[in-house]
Amino acid sequence: MIIVLCGYMGSGKSLIANLLSRELNFEFRDLDDEIAKVDGRHIPDIFEQKGEIYFRKLEMKVLQDCLGSKEDTVLALGGGTPCYGQNLKLIQANKNVRSVYLKMQLKALTDRLFEERATRPLIAKFDQKEILNDYIRKHLFERQFYYLQSEHTVDCSQATPAAIVKTITEKLAL
Ligand code: S3P
C-alpha cells in the first residue's frame, strides 16, 4: 500500500509522512527529495536553472515511479503535485494508493511560510506578510479543488503531529 499525503506548502507533509511511516513500519519517501535525487540538483536550483515546466514534467515521471513501488510506503507529495498534468488521475486510478489531504488554515500557513519563504521558489519573492497572505489565499483556493479529491481530509491547524498521525491511521482503518 502507498499512502500519499498532499497539501499546501508548509502544511507538514514531510514531517507527518515520516512519523506515520514509523508508526506503520512503512518506507518513507518525499517526492521533492526523490526529484532532487534523480535530477542531481536541489529544488530551488531546478526552478532557477530549468524553470517550472521542466520541474513539473520531472515531478510527474518521479511520481509515476514512486506509485509503482511494491513496498509499503508513505509518500509526501509536493504542494503542487496533485494540481498538474495527470498526477491526480494517476493517484486515483491506482488501487494500491490511499490519499490524505493535510488541511491547514490560511493564517497558520502564512505565519509558517513567511519564515521559510527563502527556500521555496514560488514564494521567495514576497517580502511583506500581507502580500504573501493574499497570494496564499488565492493559490489555496485554486488548489483546494484538487486537494479535496483525496480520500480523506485531516484538519491539522490545531493538532499535534502525534494526534494527526493517530487521526490518519483511524481514518484509513490501519
Ligand atoms: C511546490 C511545493 C514544493 C516543491 C516545489 C513546488 C508547489 O514542495 O514541490 O517548490 O507548487 O507548491 P513542498 O510542498 O514540500 O514545499
Side-chain angles (χ1 to χ4, degrees):
M1 178 194 301
I2 298 175
I3 302 170
V4 299
L5 302 187
C6 75
Y8 202 72
M9 288 175 273
S11 56
K13 299 179 294 288
S14 304
L15 172 69
I16 300 300
N18 200 328
L19 295 175
L20 182 62
S21 70
R22 287 165 197 238
E23 175 74 22
L24 299 174
N25 215 3
F26 278 24
E27 200 177 305
F28 162 66
R29 283 171 119 179
D30 181 294
L31 191 64
D32 282 342
D33 291 347
E34 299 299 319
I35 294 168
K37 241 188 264 169
V38 169
D39 188 83
R41 282 177 283 216
H42 296 300
I43 304 295
D45 296 333
I46 299 177
F47 268 76
E48 198 185 310
Q49 294 169 24
K50 302 295 290 184
E52 184 169 354
I53 293 175
Y54 171 92
F55 173 81
R56 295 300 171 195
K57 285 186 181 159
L58 186 56
E59 181 180 46
M60 188 159 89
K61 272 195 218 141
V62 178
L63 175 68
Q64 257 169 325
D65 284 351
C66 289
L67 295 182
S69 170
K70 296 280 169 265
E71 297 287 326
D72 286 331
T73 305
V74 184
L75 174 66
L77 301 182
T81 312
C83 317
Y84 288 90
Q86 300 301 306
N87 296 348
L88 188 58
K89 281 200 182 133
L90 290 172
I91 292 166
Q92 290 175 330
N94 189 326
K95 296 281 169 278
N96 192 35
V97 175
R98 316 286 307 270
S99 57
V100 179
Y101 167 31
L102 302 185
K103 185 175 179 180
M104 267 185 91
Q105 301 304 320
L106 175 65
K107 184 177 184 314
L109 289 174
T110 305
D111 287 346
R112 190 179 287 184
L113 289 173
F114 190 67
E115 301 306 321
E116 297 175 4
R117 67 194 187 283
T119 56
R120 299 178 188 268
L122 295 178
I123 56 168
K125 59 181 180 280
F126 297 111
D127 51 14
Q128 287 179 42
K129 207 170 182 182
E130 296 68 35
I131 298 178
L132 176 64
N133 189 64
D134 279 352
Y135 173 84
I136 297 173
R137 181 188 297 111
K138 288 185 199 128
H139 205 201
L140 188 57
F141 179 76
E142 291 161 9
R143 286 186 165 186
Q144 279 223 114
F145 170 78
Y146 301 94
Y147 297 155
L148 286 168
Q149 294 185 54
S150 303
E151 233 182 293
H152 298 285
T153 295
V154 175
D155 197 326
C156 299
S157 295
Q158 311 289 335
T160 62
I164 295 167
V165 167
K166 185 160 178 282
T167 305
I168 296 173
T169 56
E170 285 167 2
K171 285 196 183 240
L172 293 174
L174 293 170

